[in-house]
Amino acid sequence: ASPMQIYSKVMKGIGQVNFPDSIQGPAKDFVTALLQKESARRLPMQTDGWSRFKAHAWFKDFDWISMANQTLTPPYIPVVRDMRDLQNLEAREEDAPKDEPCGSGCDFDWDTEFGTPPLSVNL
């Protein structure tokens, strides 16, 4: 979808979204409660919002106390060989931004604004 198509859908509001069958019940209700156009109507912004957020059916089996005590077991623990192991930080190619042609207006030295003087050698 183009940015304008996405913008158009966002402006129509969450009420116009057709959720797939796999996202129904508490999941749909939770997403809808968070994505209200008017910020005052969003779940955490309502009266007792944080309590209502934590009590939402989506979190029915979530252990908030263990999270607060930092004893909650994470859902995924990556394998790390040592402190220098970066294998879990490699970006996937499909996540990389697309190369976009610059078009007109690219004939200037955009990087000169970063304050790095060009290398010069005085002999």
Side-chain angles (χ1 to χ4, degrees):
S2 74
M4 284 308 294
Q5 289 170 321
I6 294 169
Y7 175 77
S8 176
K9 288 179 181 180
V10 168
M11 293 308 294
K12 289 179 182 175
I14 191 68
Q16 299 299 314
V17 173
N18 293 319
F19 286 87
D21 291 341
S22 61
I23 311 244
Q24 296 297 320
K28 177 182 176 184
D29 183 59
F30 186 61
V31 170
T32 303
L34 291 176
L35 299 179
Q36 293 297 310
K37 188 173 184 177
E38 295 176 37
S39 60
R41 294 185 58 210
R42 296 175 192 151
L43 180 62
M45 303 304 290
Q46 297 173 7
T47 303
D48 295 324
W50 180 239
S51 297
R52 294 178 69 196
F53 180 92
K54 293 190 309 184
H56 193 279
W58 173 254
F59 294 111
K60 77 174 182 156
D61 295 323
F62 190 79
D63 187 352
W64 290 99
I65 294 171
S66 292
M67 187 181 94
N69 292 332
Q70 298 184 358
T71 58
L72 186 66
T73 303
Y76 171 73
I77 301 173
V79 176
V80 179
R81 293 186 298 254
D82 57 44
M83 294 296 288
R84 296 182 181 181
D85 184 1
L86 301 176
Q87 71 178 347
N88 295 300
L89 302 176
E90 294 177 14
R92 299 179 306 176
E93 190 168 330
E94 62 266 22
D95 293 335
K98 294 178 184 174
D99 286 334
E100 297 287 339
C102 184
S104 63
C106 289
D107 55 350
F108 61 93
D109 294 325
W110 62 269
D111 56 344
T112 57
E113 299 296 321
F114 288 96
T116 306
L119 290 176
S120 62
V121 179
N122 294 328
L123 299 175

